[in-house]
Amino acid sequence: MAITLTDVAADRVNTFLANRGKGVGLRLGIKTHGCSGMAYVMEFADEIEETDQVFEDHGIKIIVDPKSLVYLDGTEMDFAKEGLNEGFQFKNPNESGACGCGESFTV
């Protein structure tokens, strides 16, 4: 079981954490959303819950709750700029499809 970051994503997360000035890492999860059913959720974490699974990559703690881990195991998080758009992208081997707009996915 693992969740990893590309070098570019790690640099971006480190920049955000440094600008924020506090936090133990990045919380990654899923929520029910969109036409395909699930969407990724990211937020900075100030604490780690007892039931959380913690992965460390590039010196960054990636914190995942047990319910989300089933859907996120093996995911690689990247950051890309395409024209005027930029954002985090997820390479998730568990995804079986995504909606046309890219807002949600299905497993």
Side-chain angles (χ1 to χ4, degrees):
M1 291 187 161
I3 296 176
T4 58
L5 301 168
T6 64
D7 292 340
V8 176
D11 287 344
R12 194 66 173 184
V13 170
N14 272 326
T15 298
F16 285 139
L17 283 170
N19 289 341
R20 187 169 185 256
K22 65 176 183 173
V24 295
L26 180 71
R27 182 172 294 281
L28 181 61
I30 56 130
K31 68 176 181 177
T32 303
H33 178 77
C35 49
S36 290
M38 291 183 244
Y40 297 102
V41 178
M42 294 184 330
E43 62 186 5
F44 296 109
D46 291 328
E47 59 185 45
I48 299 171
E49 302 294 328
E50 188 176 306
T51 58
D52 286 336
Q53 180 73 43
V54 180
F55 302 94
E56 190 160 334
D57 192 23
H58 292 82
I60 299 168
K61 287 184 172 65
I62 306 162
I63 304 153
V64 183
D65 67 271
K67 291 179 183 177
S68 295
L69 184 58
V70 173
Y71 303 105
L72 296 174
D73 185 31
T75 297
E76 179 184 61
M77 197 169 115
D78 195 8
F79 186 85
K81 290 183 179 184
E82 296 173 9
L84 297 175
N85 298 319
E86 64 179 33
F88 288 101
Q89 298 176 343
F90 300 91
K91 296 173 187 165
N92 185 342
N94 304 301
E95 274 188 35
S96 62
C99 68
C101 66
E103 288 290 317
S104 61
F105 68 97
T106 188
V107 175

